Amino acid sequence: MAKSAEEENQQKAFGWAATDNSGILSPFNFFRRENGDDDVTLKILYCGVCHSDLHTLRNDWGFSFYPVVPGHEISGVVTKVGKNVTKFNIGDRVGVGVLVGSCKTCECCEQDLENYCPRIIFTYNSYNPDGTKNYGGYSDMIVVDQRYVLRFPDNLPLDAGAPLLCAGITVYSPMKYYGMTEAGKHLGVAGLGGLGHVAVKIGKAFGLKVTAISSSPQKESEAINRLGADSFLVSNDPEKMKSAIGTMDYIIDTVSAVHPLLPLLSLLKVNGKLVTVGLPNKPLELPVFPLVMGRKLIGGSDVGGMKETQEMLDFCAKHNITADIELIRIEEINTAMERLAKSDVRYRFVIDVANSLSQ
């Protein structure tokens, strides 16, 4: 039987998807577009498990479109390139992060800030201009416009490097934009999860004094001895928090749960900067008084553009920075999601896609 015109422009793909807000993932057959003139096709080898995957699977933010194949920390190898592709060749080690498209013509795109384009196309739970739906990296392959594909440096492992495509750029970008990179300054990292543990490593690579701020006292030893933090502060210990008032130049807040900002603002010096990158599912209360009285700044940031993300990967390769990962098989993903919801991971799950995904 002859293929339809639509089928002629598609190819079969396989992954794991959730079909409702229970968030339970199961095997899922779907289609991807055929490789176009500007496209790169990847065989997916690894995919990191981001906390936003969990939020999306459970529709915590209220805009999930089922079925959802999550995953935007994708690493693999190029298997096909279009005739206009000049940046990549078959066999190259590459990655795909949070976005796979943008308008390419707006002010943000022209400034290499595709992540702020009003017509951004996310790697999953998003739609293309032709109405087709995007599915993420919990799958065997993906087709992406070459502009949104990233080159993995030779010494950066594809498994432990995959989480950098979200967690790494999410903390690197605000540190660069807000000037939080001056060697010798004091950086606080609030939250010691997938984002926070990478922020500690990047902060140290910039030459900062780094204090890990966490509500889990049991993380102190690993924060200092494993991740390289200079000190550790228990955020729910009033006496220790009091002793640290006014000691930090910058704080990067990676906490994704609802939490008070006032204790963090109190840790900043005059002219201090607090940048939040976590995405709680409810609004946070913003106390204005300490901002005014200390000329303090609070800001936000959302991943980075393609140029900066490549810069981040090169920086991490130069400084031997990777995520600390727990490698899992795809059939373990639902258990991993339950553990992630309880913060029971050190520090990022990564799916061994190539060695465990099969129909």
Side-chain angles (χ1 to χ4, degrees):
M1 185 174 178
K3 290 184 178 181
S4 68
E6 183 180 6
E7 289 175 325
E8 287 288 351
N9 296 318
Q10 293 185 326
Q11 53 186 319
K12 292 181 179 179
F14 178 70
W16 278 49
T19 57
D20 56 46
N21 64 4
S22 70
I24 300 300
L25 292 145
S26 59
F28 178 65
N29 290 286
F30 62 102
F31 290 92
R32 300 227 190 247
R33 70 175 183 267
E34 284 289 354
N35 200 87
D37 292 345
D38 298 306
D39 288 337
V40 174
T41 296
L42 284 67
K43 177 184 179 182
I44 298 174
L45 300 182
Y46 300 99
C47 187
V49 179
C50 179
H51 210 283
S52 60
D53 295 349
L54 179 63
H55 283 305
T56 305
L57 288 172
R58 297 182 178 180
N59 199 25
D60 288 340
W61 296 324
F63 48 79
S64 297
F65 308 107
Y66 299 101
V68 172
V69 176
H72 58 208
E73 298 177 345
I74 301 166
S75 64
V77 294
V78 175
T79 59
K80 191 181 296 185
V81 296
K83 66 179 183 181
N84 296 335
V85 173
T86 58
K87 297 168 60 178
F88 302 100
N89 296 301
I90 292 173
D92 284 352
R93 304 164 73 251
V94 294
V96 175
V98 175
L99 65 154
V100 293
S102 63
C103 76
K104 302 182 181 179
T105 59
C106 71
E107 184 176 1
C108 288
C109 287
E110 290 178 349
Q111 294 178 359
D112 297 310
L113 296 172
E114 300 95 336
N115 53 308
Y116 296 114
C117 173
R119 291 163 56 191
I120 187 173
I121 302 172
F122 293 107
T123 303
Y124 71 89
N125 196 46
S126 186
Y127 288 89
N128 294 301
D130 64 1
T132 56
K133 188 175 181 181
N134 280 336
Y135 298 104
Y138 297 13
S139 58
D140 55 358
M141 53 83 69
I142 191 168
V143 182
V144 182
D145 184 309
Q146 66 171 329
R147 176 169 177 156
Y148 309 96
V149 179
L150 297 144
R151 182 177 301 280
F152 257 66
D154 291 340
N155 68 318
L156 192 63
L158 290 174
D159 52 359
L164 298 176
L165 295 165
C166 176
I169 189 59
T170 296
V171 297
Y172 180 89
S173 183
M175 291 174 73
K176 290 296 294 288
Y177 176 76
Y178 288 101
M180 301 162 66
T181 60
E182 186 179 343
K185 294 288 188 179
H186 190 179
L187 171 70
V189 177
L192 206 55
L195 273 65
H197 90 286
V198 176
V200 170
K201 295 182 181 185
I202 290 177
K204 290 303 298 179
F206 279 128
L208 300 169
K209 174 185 177 182
V210 178
T211 294
I213 306 167
S214 173
S215 60
S216 304
Q218 66 272 20
K219 290 185 178 181
E220 179 171 4
S221 177
E222 58 195 80
I224 295 173
N225 300 321
R226 177 173 167 180
L227 303 178
D230 297 286
S231 56
F232 186 86
L233 183 61
V234 181
S235 59
N236 51 11
D237 184 323
E239 288 303 311
K240 290 185 178 179
M241 288 292 286
K242 185 178 180 180
S243 68
I245 287 175
T247 62
M248 299 179 188
D249 299 286
Y250 327 119
I251 295 175
I252 186 160
D253 182 3
T254 72
V255 178
S256 59
V258 175
H259 60 289
L261 295 176
L262 182 59
L264 296 178
L265 287 169
S266 70
L267 300 176
L268 291 172
K269 300 175 182 178
V270 171
N271 298 324
K273 302 172 184 178
L274 168 63
V275 180
T276 179
V277 295
L279 291 170
N281 58 3
K282 294 181 181 178
L284 303 183
E285 182 177 332
L286 177 61
V288 174
F289 209 84
L291 298 181
V292 173
M293 300 306 293
R295 200 164 68 176
K296 299 174 183 179
L297 178 150
I298 184 165
S301 183
D302 179 33
V303 293
M306 304 315 301
K307 181 179 180 181
E308 187 174 50
T309 304
Q310 186 65 61
E311 176 188 303
M312 177 275 306
L313 287 176
D314 295 340
F315 177 90
C316 287
K318 179 180 178 180
H319 294 277
N320 296 311
I321 295 171
T322 58
D324 287 24
I325 66 169
E326 182 175 335
L327 199 62
I328 63 170
R329 295 178 61 82
I330 189 67
E331 62 266 25
E332 299 172 302
I333 187 59
N334 289 310
T335 300
M337 287 296 178
E338 292 174 6
R339 289 179 54 195
L340 179 59
K342 301 173 184 175
S343 299
D344 178 23
V345 56
R346 297 292 186 274
Y347 283 90
R348 201 67 148 188
F349 289 118
V350 172
I351 304 168
D352 187 355
V353 175
N355 289 316
S356 64
L357 184 64
S358 60
Q359 298 190 53

